[in-house]
């Protein structure tokens, strides 16, 4: 099945202990699309300026991403720059220039309004609501951030009642729920609307929470060379949603497998500046790392309990 | 099989957001022994003062822990006090009084010198070496801490060449190896001697590293009510080592299962001040939480890779 993603396409400038990149292809919807495209056909809805390089358009096309909904308008593309610490899990945002993204009013082309899987990237909740008025998916995922949790509570609460799965990181989950404990936080958040909550913990893995109180935890893939973690969370969501669209199922066991795919795709995303490693990734490499990850996290045999 | 543990027995005074305890039964060897005693007969080697309450002796005896090697001498018992933050993963040590523990010279009674499993708790590496001159185990585990990594490098390196499995937390692993990345750190540390390295990451779980480059990661059990995490790491090691002594095997698949036991026992240790929850724990409760943990971390079915 196909999937549509609505969100940011950006030019990123990033400094890490391992080097730096300038005006690299970035943005949540970019990482999401490239990652999801390993599993399913992807439609990307976004906006860029006239400075957006043709080579980046070509990259998206090379992954068979449908960019009919990627508007190019007069002005500059959304730009983000950040610096990662020696502890690569810490970063500072140096500069954010919304540019053309500030006036982003996504239009869903009618031919993709019925696409069964939809992902609302981290944008203003009122824009997410606007997308939900134009699209009629079977299953909708979303991301959000601290800024919207702080400043747009009403709109955010409204979106949360209308989506199926929410992807946020642990600190956002704590902020949204007012609870430090993740299990308690998950209950508060699921009560706001989503059927499934995925808490992303970066190098510490992820946890899925379900409405019936069940959960599923995975560690992250143990990476030896983290070059640039930018886009890892979006790649996780892209791999996850792309896999469920490919399976056309949201059964708990498929969601568990989707978490494996998200984890493994996200690990590749960290291995280069920008999406370069993902663009070089073969299906075989992806499968092999999935097998390796399963070996590294799944018990070979069950404990014996006769003590 | 039996297991012997050498280490601290203490009186702990702890403050957490959920309350406080005073002169509670504590110490690494205490938590280790109680946790290991679910799986195997345990011999405890330690030292306490004349202030050590008879009721705590009775508690250890109630778990069938052999305390023949627990010396009681004139003076005060080792005392530790600490305060946990609202984020319960952070704590400050308020006071450490070594008292009789300062002159701890463990003597291994000859009748237990051949006990096949041995655990050297977090004590001065020269004392750990002294124990290794008196005991002839098949398989030895150890713990250490930042103080010994900083101040007793030669002795510590010597112990590391003589043990089989090292349990440390992530920051200690980074300190010992000089590497931030855990995978790189593990290689440096395994090169110092141990066959197996277990990195404890608190609420983020644990990772086992093997000499052949393989690893095995588990998340922690998702706890809703963390009352006092004191002793969780020692309980993890106790459950882990107790399980391998019970299985009398150090095959990788048994070590994986041991990590499950350590994780689950440690989760119970966090649910009360001192070891109270562990002392109330039944074998059935332990098994049920193991099953629950396996449900929460092990895939119901394998991913499909036909994309």
């Amino acid at each position: 099945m196909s999937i549509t993603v609505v969100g940011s396409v950006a030019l990123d400038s990033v400094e890490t202990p391992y080097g730096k990149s300038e005006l690299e292809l970035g943005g949540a919807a970019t990482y999401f699309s490239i990652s999801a495209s390993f599993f399913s056909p992807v439609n990307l809805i976004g906006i860029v300026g006239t400075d957006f390089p043709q080579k980046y358009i070509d990259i998206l096309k090379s992954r068979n991403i449908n960019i009919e909904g990627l508007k190019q308008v007069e002005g500059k593309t959304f730009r983000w720059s950040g610096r990662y610490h020696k502890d690569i899990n810490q970063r500072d945002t140096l500069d954010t220039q919304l540019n053309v993204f500030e006036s982003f009013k996504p239009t869903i082309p009618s031919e993709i309004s019925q696409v069964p899987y939809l992902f609302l990237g981290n944008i203003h909740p009122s824009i997410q609501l606007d997308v939900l008025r134009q699209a009629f998916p079977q299953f909708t995922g979303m991301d959000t951030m601290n800024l919207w949790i702080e400043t747009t509570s009403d709109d955010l609460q409204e979106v949360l009642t209308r989506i199926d799965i929410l992807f946020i990181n642990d600190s956002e989950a704590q902020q949204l729920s007012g609870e430090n404990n993740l299990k308690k936080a998950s209950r508060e958040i699921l009560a706001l609307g989503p059927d499934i909550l995925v808490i992303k913990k970066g190098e510490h893995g992820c946890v899925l929470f379900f409405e019936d109180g069940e959960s599923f935890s995975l560690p992250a893939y143990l990476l030896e060379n983290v070059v640039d973690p930018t886009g890892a969370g979006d790649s996780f969501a892209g791999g996850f949603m792309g896999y469920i669209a490919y399976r056309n199922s949201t059964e708990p066991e498929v969601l568990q497998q989707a978490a494996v795919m998200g984890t493994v795709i996200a690990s590749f995303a960290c291995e280069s500046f920008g999406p370069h490693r993902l663009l070089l990734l073969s299906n075989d490499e992806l499968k092999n790392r999935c097998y390796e990850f399963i070996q590294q996290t799944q018990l070979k045999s069950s404990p014996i309990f006769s003590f």
Side-chain angles (χ1 to χ4, degrees), chain A residues 124 130 174 217 244 273 296:
Chain A
H124 194 294
D130 196 38
Q174 285 160 344
S217 301
I244 61 176
F273 285 97
Q296 291 173 352

Side-chain angles (χ1 to χ4, degrees), chain A residues 66-273:
Chain A
N66 174 11
I67 55 167
E68 227 181 295
L70 180 65
K71 261 191 272 188
Q72 193 159 23
V73 300
E74 200 58 48
K76 278 179 154 181
T77 302
F78 175 27
R79 292 177 183 213
W80 177 82
S81 74
R83 187 187 290 134
Y84 287 83
H85 297 204
K86 198 183 157 207
D87 170 0
I88 198 105
N89 302 297
Q90 305 288 327
R91 78 177 182 195
D92 301 316
T93 288
L94 301 178
D95 192 29
T96 304
Q97 296 173 23
L98 291 176
N99 298 329
V100 300
F101 195 57
E102 198 157 8
S103 55
F104 182 38
K105 293 237 177 300
T107 316
I108 311 297
S110 63
E111 63 275 22
I112 64 167
S113 63
Q114 309 288 335
V115 162
Y117 293 88
L118 172 67
F119 187 74
L120 303 168
N122 167 26
I123 47 180
H124 194 294
S126 67
I127 304 179
Q128 293 178 324
L129 283 173
D130 196 38
V131 173
L132 290 174
R133 282 186 280 265
Q134 302 175 56
F136 310 95
Q138 282 171 27
F139 188 82
T140 305
M142 74 172 274
D143 187 10
T144 192
M145 72 186 290
N146 52 358
L147 178 66
W148 312 131
I149 296 171
E150 284 157 25
T151 61
T152 66
S153 180
D154 287 355
D155 283 341
L156 180 59
Q157 303 253 346
E158 169 71 19
V159 194
L160 286 171
T161 64
R162 299 183 53 183
I163 55 104
D164 300 291
I165 183 166
L166 171 66
F167 293 79
I168 46 179
N169 68 34
D170 38 5
S171 66
E172 290 158 354
Q174 285 160 344
Q175 196 184 13
L176 181 57
S177 63
E179 272 291 347
N180 266 324
N181 179 283
L182 287 192
K183 202 164 171 186
K184 288 182 187 163
S186 72
R187 224 171 9 238
E188 300 290 325
I189 294 168
L190 291 172
L192 299 175
D195 294 338
I196 307 145
L197 168 65
V198 182
I199 297 185
K200 300 175 288 179
K201 306 199 298 171
E203 63 161 344
H204 299 303
C206 66
V207 192
L208 279 58
F209 290 98
F210 301 92
E211 278 193 310
D212 60 4
E214 297 293 317
S215 67
F216 185 73
S217 301
L218 279 180
Y221 176 78
L222 275 173
L223 262 185
E224 188 152 349
N225 294 302
V226 178
V227 173
D228 173 13
T230 308
D234 304 311
S235 296
F236 175 90
F240 191 110
M241 291 288 294
Y243 183 78
I244 61 176
Y246 152 66
R247 291 293 305 273
N248 193 23
S249 165
T250 57
E251 287 300 307
E253 67 181 74
V254 174
L255 296 172
Q256 293 179 352
Q257 297 163 18
V260 170
M261 294 300 162
T263 298
V264 169
I265 281 270
S267 75
F268 284 110
C270 295
E271 291 188 319
S272 70
F273 285 97

